[in-house]
Amino acid sequence: QVQVVESGGGLVQPGGSLALSCVASGSIYSINSMAWYRQAPGKQRELVAHITNSGTTNFTDSVKGRFTISRDSAQNTVYLQMNSLKPEDTAAYYCRITGYASLYDRRKKRGSDYWGQGTQVTVSS
């Protein structure tokens, strides 16, 4: 069993900062990539930030220059540092992790996808 748990959400004023973390634990053999998504009421879920096992990152245009994604591979942890927060950043934030469940799956390139339960971020005065 693999567990993915996000933490760090909460209420913050516009212009403030918040840091999210996501930890994967359990029987996963290796991780290929880690990402943060968000979904606001009435809107589609969107990719916010992504980091590969080689360290390559990308961000949706609306958060470039404000958000930073980082990874601690040894601890199977991904972070999202959010600065200069805006009310439109308000959403449930979800962690997504891709990887291999076993050495066999790695050799066969049979990837797996794991999601956390989400953490709420509210930006309001």
Side-chain angles (χ1 to χ4, degrees), residues 11-69:
L11 175 64
V12 64
Q13 293 184 336
S17 297
L18 204 61
L20 306 182
S21 63
C22 170
V23 180
S25 62
S27 60
I28 189 169
Y29 179 79
S30 62
I31 292 174
N32 295 331
S33 65
M34 311 180 87
W36 289 95
Y37 290 74
R38 67 185 180 187
Q39 187 168 23
K43 297 183 179 180
Q44 292 183 282
R45 184 173 297 186
E46 66 171 343
L47 176 65
V48 177
H50 177 266
I51 185 167
T52 69
N53 59 357
S54 66
T56 301
T57 62
N58 60 65
F59 302 87
T60 190
D61 287 343
S62 63
V63 308
K64 287 181 178 178
R66 300 189 297 119
F67 290 12
T68 300
I69 187 170

Side-chain angles (χ1 to χ4, degrees), residues 17 24 28 31 33 36 38 49-50 63 66 68 72 77 79 85-86 88-89 91 95 98 101 104 120:
S17 297
I28 189 169
I31 292 174
S33 65
W36 289 95
R38 67 185 180 187
H50 177 266
V63 308
R66 300 189 297 119
T68 300
D72 184 342
T77 303
Y79 305 93
L85 283 163
K86 305 174 180 179
E88 51 263 44
D89 295 318
C95 179
T98 65
Y104 175 84
Q120 179 67 38

Side-chain angles (χ1 to χ4, degrees), residues 71-123:
R71 178 188 64 195
D72 184 342
S73 297
Q75 300 297 320
N76 292 341
T77 303
V78 63
Y79 305 93
L80 185 68
Q81 178 65 47
M82 304 183 293
N83 300 319
S84 301
L85 283 163
K86 305 174 180 179
E88 51 263 44
D89 295 318
T90 296
Y93 283 70
Y94 298 89
C95 179
R96 181 198 181 202
I97 296 173
T98 65
Y100 297 113
S102 67
L103 178 59
Y104 175 84
D105 286 347
R106 177 182 174 184
R107 289 172 173 171
K108 295 293 185 180
K109 297 189 181 299
R110 182 182 177 182
S112 296
D113 190 296
Y114 308 98
W115 288 88
Q117 293 298 309
T119 185
Q120 179 67 38
V121 173
T122 302
V123 184

